[in-house]
Amino acid sequence: MGLRKEFQEGAAWVRQHLDFDLNVEVSVFEVNIRFVGGLLAAYYLSGEQVFLAKAVDLGKRLLPAFNTPTGIPWAMVNLKTGVGRNWGWASGGCSVLAEIGTLHLEFEQLSHLTGNPIFSEKVRNIRDVLDRMTKPQGLYPNYVHPSTGNWGQQHVSMGGLGDSFYEYLLKSWLMSGKMDEQARRMYNEAIEAILKHLLRRTPGGLTFIGEWKNGFVERKMGHLACFAGGMLALGVDSTPEELTADGGQAGEASEPKNHLEMAAKIAHTCHESYDRAAVKLGPEIFRFDGAAEAVGTRHVEKYYILRPEVVETYFYLWRITKDPKYREWGWEAVQALERNCRVQGGYSGIRDVYSSVPSHDDVQQSFFLAETLKYLFLLFSDDSVLPLDQWVFSTEAHPLPVIPRIVNATKQEPSLVSS
Ligand code: DMJ
C-alpha cells in the first residue's frame, strides 16, 4: 500500500518490544492466525529476519499444546510453562474443529523456513486423525476430544467453530502447489456433505448455508459463514480442467462449476443481509424464518464488529469472475464503514445494524486492518498485486507464498507483484 514509513515504525517496535517470554495463557488458534501468520507474512514481504525469528520463537512456545493422547491440541497454552487446557464452554472438554484445523498453513511454513519438521508433523497428525474418524453423513462435527479422539456434540457449521477448517483444507492444497492431495480430497468430501445437508433456498429465492444440530438444520447463517462464497469460488478457479468436466473426479455434488454458482448465490445472500440493514452493514447472525429473510431478528445478534467475510467473498469473486457488481458492492461497504464506523481514534464496531443512528462499541478489532481493509484494497487493485496463483491468504488474510511440495522445497520466494 506504499505505507513504508508506518511499516518501518512497526518493524522497529517488533525489534525492540515484541517478546513472547510471558507467563500468560493464550488461545493457540488466535495467536497462530494473528501473530504467527502476521509475522510470517511480514517476513516474506520485507525479507527482514526479525519477523521470522519472532514467528519461530512463538511457534515453539505453542508446541506443548500438542502434548495430548491424540496429538489434537488444547485450545489454550501458557507461553512460559507450556501447560494447556480446553475452553470451559466447549462440549465435554473437547477441542474446536476450526481451531485445530487452522494451524496447517502457518506450521507448514515454519517447518519449511527452519528446516525443522516438528511443526509440520504436528499439523499433519491432526489431519490424519480427522481423516480416519467416522463422520456422521460425511459431516465434520465442530467438537473433537483430544484424549479419546471422539466427536463431541453433533453440531456442524460453515460459520463459527467450523469455518476455517474447511478453508485450510483448500488452502493447504493450494499452498503446496496442489501437491497435498489428502487436503484436496478431504475438502471435496467435506464440502459435498455440507452442500448436500446444509444448503437451503428460501421462498424469496435466497440461498443460504444453515447450521446442523443433531440432524436438524437451523435456518440461520452467521456473518462468519459468508467467507464460504470466496472459498467455493477459489476452489473452482484453482481446479484443473479435467475436474471441471461433466462426470469429473470431484463427483456430481461437488462438481466445481456448481461451486461457482453456489459462491455467487451466497455472495448475493450476504449482500442482501447488508442491504436490508439500516446502516448497509450486516448483522452477526441473520435468519430465514417466516417473513424474515437474511435479517437479524434477535437483539443480541444484530451487531457488526468490522468483520471481513462479506468483502472477502466480493474480493475473490471479483478476481475470478470480473463481474463489476462485486466492486460496486465493495464500494457500498466502504461508504457504509465511513458513514457509520469511523470515529475519532479509528473505526468502531456498532451494536445494532438496524438502527440508523449507530451506537459504537468502542472496539477496533485487529482483523479490521488485517482483513477487512486489506480485502477492500485488493478488490480495487490490479490482479497482479498478490496474484492468487502465487500467494495464499491465511484465514487472517496474511499472504503466504505457494511453495510446491512445501517441506522439501528450496527456499524460492515469489515476487509481490507478478511480472
Ligand atoms: C478472523 O479472525 C478469521 O478470519 C477467523 O478465521 C474467523 N473470523 C475472524 C474475523 O471475523
Side-chain angles (χ1 to χ4, degrees):
M1 298 175 83
L3 302 173
R4 289 175 188 275
K5 181 173 147 284
E6 290 81 354
F7 178 76
Q8 286 312 333
E9 284 169 9
W13 185 88
V14 167
R15 241 177 260 117
Q16 288 160 25
H17 303 295
L18 188 61
D19 181 5
F20 297 118
D21 190 25
L22 298 169
N23 188 7
V24 291
E25 194 176 51
V26 300
S27 156
V28 175
F29 161 77
E30 294 289 0
V31 155
N32 177 61
I33 66 173
R34 301 190 197 217
F35 286 73
V36 178
L39 288 164
L40 287 173
Y43 167 69
Y44 274 117
L45 297 180
S46 70
E48 291 194 30
Q49 289 293 327
V50 64
F51 296 115
L52 177 58
K54 299 282 181 192
V56 174
D57 175 42
L58 183 53
K60 285 183 181 160
R61 291 173 188 275
L62 298 180
L63 290 176
F66 294 79
N67 294 338
T68 65
T70 58
I72 297 280
W74 301 114
M76 285 173 284
V77 72
N78 184 301
L79 291 181
K80 205 186 219 14
T81 65
V83 174
R85 69 181 173 107
N86 268 345
W87 305 114
W89 52 261
S91 160
C94 281
S95 302
V96 173
L97 183 69
E99 298 196 339
I100 62 171
T102 313
L103 304 167
H104 209 99
L105 300 184
E106 294 83 356
F107 274 52
E108 287 286 9
Q109 288 284 357
L110 285 174
S111 277
H112 167 67
L113 290 165
T114 60
N116 181 349
I118 185 84
F119 305 101
S120 168
E121 286 165 7
K122 297 293 183 197
V123 291
R124 288 182 189 200
N125 174 61
I126 300 174
R127 169 94 67 70
D128 288 340
V129 170
L130 293 171
D131 198 13
R132 281 196 301 268
M133 290 170 75
T134 307
K135 286 112 202 149
Q137 301 183 61
L139 294 164
Y140 284 81
N142 287 336
Y143 297 104
V144 192
H145 205 284
S147 299
T148 62
N150 292 329
W151 301 116
Q153 201 184 13
Q154 302 264 302
H155 175 210
V156 178
S157 167
M158 187 55 99
L161 307 177
D163 50 6
S164 44
F165 160 69
Y166 306 99
E167 176 185 357
Y168 266 34
L169 289 176
L170 177 65
K171 290 181 175 176
S172 297
W173 176 70
L174 286 172
M175 198 179 77
S176 72
K178 304 181 184 175
M179 312 292 254
D180 184 347
E181 289 171 6
Q182 181 193 31
R184 179 71 207 206
R185 172 181 54 74
M186 286 172 70
Y187 171 78
N188 285 352
E189 290 167 359
I191 296 300
E192 183 169 335
I194 290 257
L195 296 182
K196 186 168 170 195
H197 297 291
L198 275 65
L199 200 74
R200 292 286 183 276
R201 195 172 161 80
T202 68
L206 297 181
T207 298
F208 70 96
I209 303 175
E211 305 222 345
W212 193 83
K213 285 196 178 141
N214 296 316
F216 293 97
V217 174
E218 206 179 349
R219 297 176 66 81
K220 71 172 191 188
M221 196 164 156
H223 192 289
L224 289 165
C226 286
F227 90 98
M231 178 184 69
L232 290 171
L234 183 63
V236 178
D237 185 53
S238 54
T239 302
E241 274 298 305
E242 67 268 23
L243 288 181
T244 62
D246 279 341
Q249 296 170 38
E252 201 186 330
S254 63
E255 203 280 324
K257 277 181 185 156
N258 285 343
H259 285 196
L260 192 52
E261 274 176 47
M262 259 12 135
K265 286 179 178 164
I266 288 162
H268 172 67
T269 300
C270 292
H271 176 256
E272 286 299 307
S273 80
Y274 274 41
D275 205 43
R276 294 174 189 198
V279 295
K280 304 293 173 195
L281 295 164
E284 179 70 2
I285 307 275
F286 43 99
R287 293 181 180 267
F288 304 86
D289 286 330
E293 291 201 357
V295 172
T297 53
R298 302 185 186 179
H299 188 63
V300 291
E301 300 173 346
K302 294 181 178 174
Y303 61 90
Y304 171 69
I305 54 169
L306 305 172
R307 285 199 192 279
E309 291 77 15
V310 175
V311 296
E312 172 182 350
T313 276
Y314 297 164
F315 158 67
Y316 281 109
L317 278 161
W318 162 256
R319 281 259 171 124
I320 291 163
T321 69
K322 288 295 172 304
D323 186 330
K325 78 179 173 206
Y326 297 113
R327 276 190 164 172
E328 288 158 18
W329 291 353
W331 189 243
E332 288 171 11
V334 169
Q335 291 175 307
L337 284 165
E338 288 299 304
R339 232 180 9 250
N340 300 289
C341 301
R342 186 151 204 163
V343 292
Q344 206 185 356
Y347 290 79
S348 166
I350 52 181
R351 293 197 175 90
D352 182 355
V353 296
Y354 301 101
S355 163
S356 47
V357 184
S359 162
H360 295 119
D361 66 10
D362 200 23
V363 178
Q364 180 180 292
Q365 301 276 348
S366 73
F367 49 67
F368 179 66
L369 298 177
E371 297 191 73
T372 312
L373 291 188
K374 189 182 288 153
Y375 285 127
L376 284 168
F377 176 78
L378 291 168
L379 176 62
F380 295 98
S381 302
D382 290 343
D383 291 2
S384 58
V385 181
L386 294 167
L388 291 178
D389 59 345
Q390 291 183 41
W391 294 90
V392 171
F393 292 95
S394 77
T395 194
E396 204 69 5
H398 297 304
L400 299 171
V402 170
I403 301 173
R405 285 202 183 283
I406 178 151
V407 173
N408 303 322
T410 49
K411 293 181 188 169
Q412 233 183 22
E413 288 156 26
S415 60
L416 172 58
V417 177
S418 71
S419 50

